[in-house]
């Protein structure tokens, strides 16, 4: 198992930013019931904490996409492993992602979702690595911009390990 490097974001920093994002989303969706789509598995802790900070009508659905497998670089290939349970036609949709790296996953997902005719489609991600972008994607709510380092914790894994950490750390190289 890869060893942890240094802490990039503490639990306190994450929780404070998640509160701010929740307030922003509450304000923007005050009279607009919406469905939050959590992208599994990485976004499960983030969406759980974020949802507790959202004080307006919302419901949940989940999608799972193929990940990097056991490596730490993108294969460029995106596959839907689990699709939504319900239709999003005519509904306001907020996609909740753990991290945007090259943008390939999100770009593909947004194309798929747009074709299903949502009333609106926005994106909230915890982490953004803008320096790694290969395709432009619009992100409406960003938790933190981080440099080009592979990170784990708070939902993010390395070979399925470390998702349970309450903070975000790099790996020892
Ligand atoms: P993208 O398609 O934007 O390159 O990658 C998005 C997905 O790659 C994320 O949802 C996440 O699963 C994975 N990913 C990208 N960067 C990292 C990272 O630093 N750490 C971990 N654990 N996963 C990452």
């Amino acid at each position: 198992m890869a060893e942890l490097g240094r802490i990039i974001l503490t639990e306190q920093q994450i929780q404070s930013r998640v509160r701010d994002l929740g307030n922003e989303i509450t304000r923007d969706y005050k009279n607009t019931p919406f469905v939050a789509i959590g992208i599994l598995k990485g976004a499960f802790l983030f969406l759980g904490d974020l949802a507790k900070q959202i004080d307006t009508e919302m419901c949940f659905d989940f999608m799972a996409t193929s990940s990097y497998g056991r490596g730490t670089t993108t294969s460029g290939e995106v596959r839907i492993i689990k699709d939504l349970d319900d239709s999003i036609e005519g509904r306001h949709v907020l996609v909740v992602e753990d991290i945007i790296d090259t943008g390939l996953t999100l770009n593909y997902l947004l194309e798929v979702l747009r074709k299903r005719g949502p009333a609106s489609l926005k994106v909230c991600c915890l982490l953004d690595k803008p320096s790694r972008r290969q395709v432009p994607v619009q992100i409406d709510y960003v938790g933190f911009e981080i440099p080009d380092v592979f990170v784990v914790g708070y939902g993010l894994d390395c070979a399925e390990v470390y998702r349970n950490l309450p903070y975000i750390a790099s790996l020892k190289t």
Side-chain angles (χ1 to χ4, degrees):
M1 184 170 77
E3 260 186 84
L4 288 179
R6 64 181 188 90
I7 293 186
I8 307 279
L9 293 165
T10 65
E11 180 173 9
Q12 211 177 14
Q13 283 175 304
I14 295 171
Q15 293 304 331
S16 157
R17 185 70 189 118
V18 168
R19 257 194 307 279
D20 291 346
L21 286 172
N23 289 336
E24 236 183 285
I25 292 167
T26 300
R27 205 184 50 225
D28 293 353
Y29 286 90
K30 201 65 208 172
N31 299 304
T32 312
F34 70 100
V35 53
I37 297 181
I39 308 303
L40 299 173
K41 300 174 192 170
F44 83 109
L45 284 185
F46 175 43
L47 179 54
D49 284 343
L50 182 67
K52 287 185 275 181
Q53 304 299 330
I54 296 175
D55 182 21
T56 188
E57 189 181 321
M58 67 177 293
C59 51
F60 300 90
D61 210 334
F62 295 92
M63 260 180 142
T65 56
S66 58
S67 72
Y68 291 169
R70 289 177 171 268
T72 57
T73 51
T74 184
S75 62
E77 186 199 327
V78 183
R79 217 158 33 94
I80 294 176
I81 295 164
K82 183 221 171 292
D83 208 337
L84 299 174
D85 290 338
D86 296 317
S87 164
I88 53 166
E89 193 176 347
R91 299 168 77 193
H92 296 280
V93 171
L94 179 65
V95 175
V96 179
E97 254 281 32
D98 51 0
I99 185 165
I100 315 297
D101 187 33
T102 61
L104 291 169
T105 309
L106 184 63
N107 189 48
Y108 174 78
L109 272 180
L110 291 178
E111 255 175 50
V112 169
L113 295 175
R114 222 172 267 126
K115 283 186 195 143
R116 300 184 185 180
S120 69
L121 186 57
K122 285 192 182 183
V123 176
C124 173
C125 75
L126 178 69
L127 305 175
D128 183 16
K129 282 187 201 170
S131 64
R132 294 259 310 158
R133 204 69 92 247
Q134 286 180 22
V135 285
V137 278
Q138 197 199 319
I139 313 170
D140 303 278
Y141 308 94
V142 179
F144 302 91
E145 282 191 5
I146 61 165
D148 179 14
V149 280
F150 190 82
V151 292
V152 295
Y154 199 64
L156 291 148
D157 75 310
C158 177
E160 294 303 324
V161 184
Y162 293 131
R163 290 193 198 275
N164 58 313
L165 300 179
Y167 53 86
I168 287 170
S170 63
L171 290 178
K172 258 196 191 134
T173 42

